[in-house]
Amino acid sequence: MRLVLVGPPGAGKGTQSEWLADFLSVPHLSTGDMLREAVGEGTALGKMADEKISQGQLVPDQLVTDLVGERIQKPDCESGFLLDGFPRNVQQAQLLGQLLAESKTSLDLVLEIKLGEKVLTQRLLQRGRSDDTVEVMRERFTVYETETVPLLEFYRDQGVLHSIEGDATREEVSQRIRGIIDAVTSD
Ligand code: AMP
């Protein structure tokens, strides 16, 4: 299954991705993790990513898409993948669509985890990552609203978008995701 997980920062994408990738037997591809890895390695991409991440802004579309494009061509992605944090805007979605079309595939499901800003802020402050300060968080929410929300419309039009409410326990959210997966795979 080729799946994308979308949600505001702090909605639980990373946490849910872990069991879900395992459950579907597909690799979990987090662009945030890939970029943080590049930052740790101090590559040219890492230096550019570091600046954007610490400001809560997006790394340029083509750079992130190249990273993903390279990764999904590896043999372990042949029967599917779970993308976490990518695409983040319509431009990235279009680039991804082109990549997939070249290999005559497409996305099976885009899953949105919905959550209000109040709960998200509380969760993020508990997480304590270096880009989880109040100021950077505000910027990440703004970027989500302006860049990522239009992406939902794009995928709704394609008929692949399914949404769940994320304001529940981790287990309950997992159950809701299971429900969607079951419905999609039984189609
Ligand atoms: P995440 O771990 O998904 O919350 O991502 C952390 C940060 O990495 C984001 O705030 C962006 O600066 C950057 N990032 C992650 N994924 C993308 C993407 N698809 N496009 C652009 N920037 C990204």
Side-chain angles (χ1 to χ4, degrees):
M1 174 177 276
R2 293 178 183 82
L3 170 82
V4 169
L5 220 52
V6 187
K13 296 189 299 291
T15 307
Q16 296 297 333
S17 292
E18 276 165 29
W19 74 265
L20 185 56
D22 213 39
F23 175 72
L24 296 170
S25 301
V26 293
H28 168 208
L29 314 183
S30 154
T31 44
D33 286 349
M34 290 180 199
L35 292 169
R36 280 184 289 273
E37 204 173 295
V39 172
E41 287 167 356
T43 58
L45 166 69
K47 289 197 179 109
M48 131 93 75
D50 194 17
E51 200 181 311
K52 294 292 181 190
I53 293 173
S54 60
Q55 292 169 349
Q57 288 167 1
L58 295 185
V59 173
D61 297 332
Q62 194 64 55
L63 280 183
V64 189
T65 308
D66 286 348
L67 268 184
V68 171
E70 210 175 287
R71 183 65 188 84
I72 62 176
Q73 276 167 19
K74 299 216 163 129
D76 62 337
C77 291
E78 218 160 86
S79 64
F81 48 75
L82 191 175
L83 278 168
D84 161 13
F86 179 92
R88 275 294 222 272
N89 59 24
V90 172
Q91 169 73 8
Q92 293 181 9
Q94 284 167 338
L95 291 168
L96 175 66
Q98 287 167 14
L99 282 174
L100 294 176
E102 281 165 20
S103 50
K104 301 206 168 21
T105 59
S106 59
L107 292 175
D108 300 299
L109 171 63
V110 176
L111 194 66
E112 176 201 9
I113 305 181
K114 294 163 94 128
L115 208 55
E117 185 165 338
K118 215 168 136 200
V119 184
L120 291 170
T121 309
Q122 283 166 356
R123 284 198 191 179
L124 286 175
L125 288 175
Q126 282 166 5
R127 189 168 72 174
R129 218 167 65 188
S130 65
D131 57 344
D132 284 341
T133 64
V134 173
E135 208 176 287
V136 178
M137 240 153 39
R138 202 162 292 144
E139 178 63 17
R140 285 160 62 205
F141 286 133
T142 306
V143 168
Y144 186 78
E145 290 295 326
T146 55
E147 296 264 335
T148 311
V149 168
L151 175 73
L152 300 172
E153 214 47 51
F154 176 85
Y155 282 133
R156 190 172 292 124
D157 287 346
Q158 292 186 10
V160 287
L161 182 73
H162 290 256
S163 305
I164 56 154
E165 287 293 339
D167 190 10
T169 63
R170 187 178 290 200
E171 292 73 22
E172 175 58 30
V173 175
S174 302
Q175 283 304 317
R176 291 175 189 174
I177 293 177
R178 270 293 299 269
I180 305 259
I181 302 279
D182 288 347
V184 169
T185 47
S186 69
D187 272 354

PDB file of all heavy atoms in Angstrom, residues 21-44:
ATOM      1  N   ALA A  21       3.424   1.247   9.836  1.00  0.00           N
ATOM      2  CA  ALA A  21       4.387   0.758   8.840  1.00  0.00           C
ATOM      3  C   ALA A  21       4.647  -0.732   9.083  1.00  0.00           C
ATOM      4  O   ALA A  21       4.711  -1.530   8.142  1.00  0.00           O
ATOM      5  CB  ALA A  21       5.681   1.554   8.932  1.00  0.00           C
ATOM      6  N   ASP A  22       4.745  -1.071  10.351  1.00  0.00           N
ATOM      7  CA  ASP A  22       4.970  -2.453  10.744  1.00  0.00           C
ATOM      8  C   ASP A  22       3.780  -3.326  10.327  1.00  0.00           C
ATOM      9  O   ASP A  22       3.927  -4.378   9.721  1.00  0.00           O
ATOM     10  CB  ASP A  22       5.082  -2.457  12.272  1.00  0.00           C
ATOM     11  CG  ASP A  22       6.039  -3.496  12.745  1.00  0.00           C
ATOM     12  OD1 ASP A  22       7.070  -3.661  12.075  1.00  0.00           O
ATOM     13  OD2 ASP A  22       5.738  -4.146  13.764  1.00  0.00           O
ATOM     14  N   PHE A  23       2.595  -2.830  10.637  1.00  0.00           N
ATOM     15  CA  PHE A  23       1.352  -3.544  10.333  1.00  0.00           C
ATOM     16  C   PHE A  23       1.184  -3.779   8.835  1.00  0.00           C
ATOM     17  O   PHE A  23       0.752  -4.844   8.388  1.00  0.00           O
ATOM     18  CB  PHE A  23       0.186  -2.712  10.889  1.00  0.00           C
ATOM     19  CG  PHE A  23      -1.179  -3.233  10.553  1.00  0.00           C
ATOM     20  CD1 PHE A  23      -1.662  -4.386  11.153  1.00  0.00           C
ATOM     21  CD2 PHE A  23      -1.983  -2.558   9.645  1.00  0.00           C
ATOM     22  CE1 PHE A  23      -2.919  -4.867  10.840  1.00  0.00           C
ATOM     23  CE2 PHE A  23      -3.240  -3.027   9.322  1.00  0.00           C
ATOM     24  CZ  PHE A  23      -3.716  -4.192   9.925  1.00  0.00           C
ATOM     25  N   LEU A  24       1.570  -2.774   8.033  1.00  0.00           N
ATOM     26  CA  LEU A  24       1.412  -2.879   6.577  1.00  0.00           C
ATOM     27  C   LEU A  24       2.635  -3.506   5.896  1.00  0.00           C
ATOM     28  O   LEU A  24       2.628  -3.719   4.685  1.00  0.00           O
ATOM     29  CB  LEU A  24       1.176  -1.485   5.965  1.00  0.00           C
ATOM     30  CG  LEU A  24      -0.105  -0.751   6.377  1.00  0.00           C
ATOM     31  CD1 LEU A  24      -0.062   0.699   5.893  1.00  0.00           C
ATOM     32  CD2 LEU A  24      -1.342  -1.444   5.827  1.00  0.00           C
ATOM     33  N   SER A  25       3.688  -3.744   6.699  1.00  0.00           N
ATOM     34  CA  SER A  25       4.965  -4.269   6.178  1.00  0.00           C
ATOM     35  C   SER A  25       5.530  -3.391   5.060  1.00  0.00           C
ATOM     36  O   SER A  25       5.895  -3.885   3.989  1.00  0.00           O
ATOM     37  CB  SER A  25       4.813  -5.703   5.643  1.00  0.00           C
ATOM     38  OG  SER A  25       4.371  -6.528   6.644  1.00  0.00           O
ATOM     39  N   VAL A  26       5.548  -2.085   5.327  1.00  0.00           N
ATOM     40  CA  VAL A  26       6.148  -1.152   4.368  1.00  0.00           C
ATOM     41  C   VAL A  26       7.109  -0.244   5.140  1.00  0.00           C
ATOM     42  O   VAL A  26       6.957  -0.064   6.344  1.00  0.00           O
ATOM     43  CB  VAL A  26       5.079  -0.273   3.646  1.00  0.00           C
ATOM     44  CG1 VAL A  26       4.194  -1.112   2.748  1.00  0.00           C
ATOM     45  CG2 VAL A  26       4.261   0.536   4.638  1.00  0.00           C
ATOM     46  N   PRO A  27       8.121   0.327   4.454  1.00  0.00           N
ATOM     47  CA  PRO A  27       9.022   1.241   5.147  1.00  0.00           C
ATOM     48  C   PRO A  27       8.345   2.548   5.554  1.00  0.00           C
ATOM     49  O   PRO A  27       7.469   3.029   4.838  1.00  0.00           O
ATOM     50  CB  PRO A  27      10.137   1.500   4.132  1.00  0.00           C
ATOM     51  CG  PRO A  27       9.813   0.757   2.914  1.00  0.00           C
ATOM     52  CD  PRO A  27       8.505   0.085   3.050  1.00  0.00           C
ATOM     53  N   HIS A  28       8.763   3.066   6.696  1.00  0.00           N
ATOM     54  CA  HIS A  28       8.267   4.348   7.196  1.00  0.00           C
ATOM     55  C   HIS A  28       9.235   5.439   6.741  1.00  0.00           C
ATOM     56  O   HIS A  28      10.389   5.457   7.160  1.00  0.00           O
ATOM     57  CB  HIS A  28       8.204   4.279   8.738  1.00  0.00           C
ATOM     58  CG  HIS A  28       7.997   5.607   9.403  1.00  0.00           C
ATOM     59  ND1 HIS A  28       8.447   5.874  10.676  1.00  0.00           N
ATOM     60  CD2 HIS A  28       7.380   6.730   8.981  1.00  0.00           C
ATOM     61  CE1 HIS A  28       8.122   7.120  11.009  1.00  0.00           C
ATOM     62  NE2 HIS A  28       7.473   7.649   9.999  1.00  0.00           N
ATOM     63  N   LEU A  29       8.769   6.326   5.878  1.00  0.00           N
ATOM     64  CA  LEU A  29       9.644   7.371   5.350  1.00  0.00           C
ATOM     65  C   LEU A  29       9.222   8.728   5.912  1.00  0.00           C
ATOM     66  O   LEU A  29       8.184   9.257   5.521  1.00  0.00           O
ATOM     67  CB  LEU A  29       9.574   7.415   3.819  1.00  0.00           C
ATOM     68  CG  LEU A  29       9.666   6.081   3.069  1.00  0.00           C
ATOM     69  CD1 LEU A  29       9.649   6.324   1.566  1.00  0.00           C
ATOM     70  CD2 LEU A  29      10.925   5.328   3.456  1.00  0.00           C
ATOM     71  N   SER A  30      10.009   9.221   6.842  1.00  0.00           N
ATOM     72  CA  SER A  30       9.722  10.527   7.434  1.00  0.00           C
ATOM     73  C   SER A  30      10.713  11.543   6.889  1.00  0.00           C
ATOM     74  O   SER A  30      11.919  11.418   7.109  1.00  0.00           O
ATOM     75  CB  SER A  30       9.841  10.431   8.963  1.00  0.00           C
ATOM     76  OG  SER A  30      10.162  11.689   9.516  1.00  0.00           O
ATOM     77  N   THR A  31      10.208  12.555   6.176  1.00  0.00           N
ATOM     78  CA  THR A  31      11.134  13.554   5.620  1.00  0.00           C
ATOM     79  C   THR A  31      11.772  14.366   6.750  1.00  0.00           C
ATOM     80  O   THR A  31      12.931  14.761   6.641  1.00  0.00           O
ATOM     81  CB  THR A  31      10.436  14.480   4.600  1.00  0.00           C
ATOM     82  OG1 THR A  31       9.165  14.885   5.103  1.00  0.00           O
ATOM     83  CG2 THR A  31      10.267  13.800   3.279  1.00  0.00           C
ATOM     84  N   GLY A  32      11.022  14.575   7.855  1.00  0.00           N
ATOM     85  CA  GLY A  32      11.613  15.273   9.001  1.00  0.00           C
ATOM     86  C   GLY A  32      12.835  14.495   9.510  1.00  0.00           C
ATOM     87  O   GLY A  32      13.895  15.074   9.748  1.00  0.00           O
ATOM     88  N   ASP A  33      12.683  13.175   9.655  1.00  0.00           N
ATOM     89  CA  ASP A  33      13.811  12.343  10.123  1.00  0.00           C
ATOM     90  C   ASP A  33      14.965  12.386   9.125  1.00  0.00           C
ATOM     91  O   ASP A  33      16.121  12.498   9.508  1.00  0.00           O
ATOM     92  CB  ASP A  33      13.381  10.868  10.305  1.00  0.00           C
ATOM     93  CG  ASP A  33      12.509  10.673  11.542  1.00  0.00           C
ATOM     94  OD1 ASP A  33      12.408  11.622  12.354  1.00  0.00           O
ATOM     95  OD2 ASP A  33      11.935   9.574  11.690  1.00  0.00           O
ATOM     96  N   MET A  34      14.646  12.289   7.824  1.00  0.00           N
ATOM     97  CA  MET A  34      15.709  12.311   6.805  1.00  0.00           C
ATOM     98  C   MET A  34      16.479  13.628   6.871  1.00  0.00           C
ATOM     99  O   MET A  34      17.697  13.652   6.765  1.00  0.00           O
ATOM    100  CB  MET A  34      15.113  12.182   5.399  1.00  0.00           C
ATOM    101  CG  MET A  34      14.523  10.823   5.081  1.00  0.00           C
ATOM    102  SD  MET A  34      13.890  10.909   3.369  1.00  0.00           S
ATOM    103  CE  MET A  34      12.785   9.531   3.363  1.00  0.00           C
ATOM    104  N   LEU A  35      15.723  14.723   7.025  1.00  0.00           N
ATOM    105  CA  LEU A  35      16.373  16.036   7.059  1.00  0.00           C
ATOM    106  C   LEU A  35      17.202  16.206   8.331  1.00  0.00           C
ATOM    107  O   LEU A  35      18.321  16.713   8.283  1.00  0.00           O
ATOM    108  CB  LEU A  35      15.322  17.149   6.950  1.00  0.00           C
ATOM    109  CG  LEU A  35      14.615  17.227   5.589  1.00  0.00           C
ATOM    110  CD1 LEU A  35      13.419  18.168   5.650  1.00  0.00           C
ATOM    111  CD2 LEU A  35      15.587  17.706   4.508  1.00  0.00           C
ATOM    112  N   ARG A  36      16.661  15.721   9.456  1.00  0.00           N
ATOM    113  CA  ARG A  36      17.427  15.836  10.715  1.00  0.00           C
ATOM    114  C   ARG A  36      18.704  15.004  10.637  1.00  0.00           C
ATOM    115  O   ARG A  36      19.739  15.378  11.164  1.00  0.00           O
ATOM    116  CB  ARG A  36      16.565  15.424  11.917  1.00  0.00           C
ATOM    117  CG  ARG A  36      15.603  16.539  12.378  1.00  0.00           C
ATOM    118  CD  ARG A  36      14.832  16.165  13.626  1.00  0.00           C
ATOM    119  NE  ARG A  36      13.840  15.143  13.368  1.00  0.00           N
ATOM    120  CZ  ARG A  36      12.591  15.396  12.947  1.00  0.00           C
ATOM    121  NH1 ARG A  36      12.193  16.639  12.742  1.00  0.00           N
ATOM    122  NH2 ARG A  36      11.748  14.400  12.730  1.00  0.00           N
ATOM    123  N   GLU A  37      18.627  13.883   9.923  1.00  0.00           N
ATOM    124  CA  GLU A  37      19.812  13.049   9.719  1.00  0.00           C
ATOM    125  C   GLU A  37      20.865  13.825   8.919  1.00  0.00           C
ATOM    126  O   GLU A  37      22.048  13.833   9.265  1.00  0.00           O
ATOM    127  CB  GLU A  37      19.398  11.797   8.951  1.00  0.00           C
ATOM    128  CG  GLU A  37      20.330  10.618   9.150  1.00  0.00           C
ATOM    129  CD  GLU A  37      19.745   9.380   8.501  1.00  0.00           C
ATOM    130  OE1 GLU A  37      18.672   8.913   8.965  1.00  0.00           O
ATOM    131  OE2 GLU A  37      20.329   8.926   7.503  1.00  0.00           O
ATOM    132  N   ALA A  38      20.410  14.487   7.854  1.00  0.00           N
ATOM    133  CA  ALA A  38      21.328  15.282   7.025  1.00  0.00           C
ATOM    134  C   ALA A  38      21.941  16.421   7.843  1.00  0.00           C
ATOM    135  O   ALA A  38      23.120  16.740   7.696  1.00  0.00           O
ATOM    136  CB  ALA A  38      20.597  15.837   5.808  1.00  0.00           C
ATOM    137  N   VAL A  39      21.134  16.992   8.763  1.00  0.00           N
ATOM    138  CA  VAL A  39      21.653  18.049   9.639  1.00  0.00           C
ATOM    139  C   VAL A  39      22.770  17.466  10.510  1.00  0.00           C
ATOM    140  O   VAL A  39      23.861  18.038  10.631  1.00  0.00           O
ATOM    141  CB  VAL A  39      20.529  18.638  10.542  1.00  0.00           C
ATOM    142  CG1 VAL A  39      21.111  19.580  11.585  1.00  0.00           C
ATOM    143  CG2 VAL A  39      19.491  19.365   9.696  1.00  0.00           C
ATOM    144  N   GLY A  40      22.511  16.289  11.068  1.00  0.00           N
ATOM    145  CA  GLY A  40      23.492  15.626  11.931  1.00  0.00           C
ATOM    146  C   GLY A  40      24.779  15.309  11.193  1.00  0.00           C
ATOM    147  O   GLY A  40      25.865  15.381  11.770  1.00  0.00           O
ATOM    148  N   GLU A  41      24.665  14.983   9.919  1.00  0.00           N
ATOM    149  CA  GLU A  41      25.847  14.625   9.131  1.00  0.00           C
ATOM    150  C   GLU A  41      26.591  15.855   8.624  1.00  0.00           C
ATOM    151  O   GLU A  41      27.708  15.743   8.125  1.00  0.00           O
ATOM    152  CB  GLU A  41      25.436  13.755   7.926  1.00  0.00           C
ATOM    153  CG  GLU A  41      25.046  12.347   8.337  1.00  0.00           C
ATOM    154  CD  GLU A  41      24.352  11.579   7.220  1.00  0.00           C
ATOM    155  OE1 GLU A  41      24.103  12.186   6.151  1.00  0.00           O
ATOM    156  OE2 GLU A  41      24.060  10.395   7.428  1.00  0.00           O
ATOM    157  N   GLY A  42      25.943  17.009   8.720  1.00  0.00           N
ATOM    158  CA  GLY A  42      26.593  18.263   8.324  1.00  0.00           C
ATOM    159  C   GLY A  42      26.786  18.410   6.821  1.00  0.00           C
ATOM    160  O   GLY A  42      27.674  19.134   6.376  1.00  0.00           O
ATOM    161  N   THR A  43      25.961  17.730   6.033  1.00  0.00           N
ATOM    162  CA  THR A  43      26.052  17.861   4.566  1.00  0.00           C
ATOM    163  C   THR A  43      25.534  19.245   4.142  1.00  0.00           C
ATOM    164  O   THR A  43      24.926  19.962   4.951  1.00  0.00           O
ATOM    165  CB  THR A  43      25.177  16.795   3.872  1.00  0.00           C
ATOM    166  OG1 THR A  43      23.827  16.979   4.325  1.00  0.00           O
ATOM    167  CG2 THR A  43      25.616  15.375   4.219  1.00  0.00           C
ATOM    168  N   ALA A  44      25.746  19.579   2.851  1.00  0.00           N
ATOM    169  CA  ALA A  44      25.269  20.877   2.348  1.00  0.00           C
ATOM    170  C   ALA A  44      23.754  20.967   2.515  1.00  0.00           C
ATOM    171  O   ALA A  44      23.205  21.986   2.953  1.00  0.00           O
ATOM    172  CB  ALA A  44      25.662  21.031   0.879  1.00  0.00           C
TER     173      ALA A  44
END
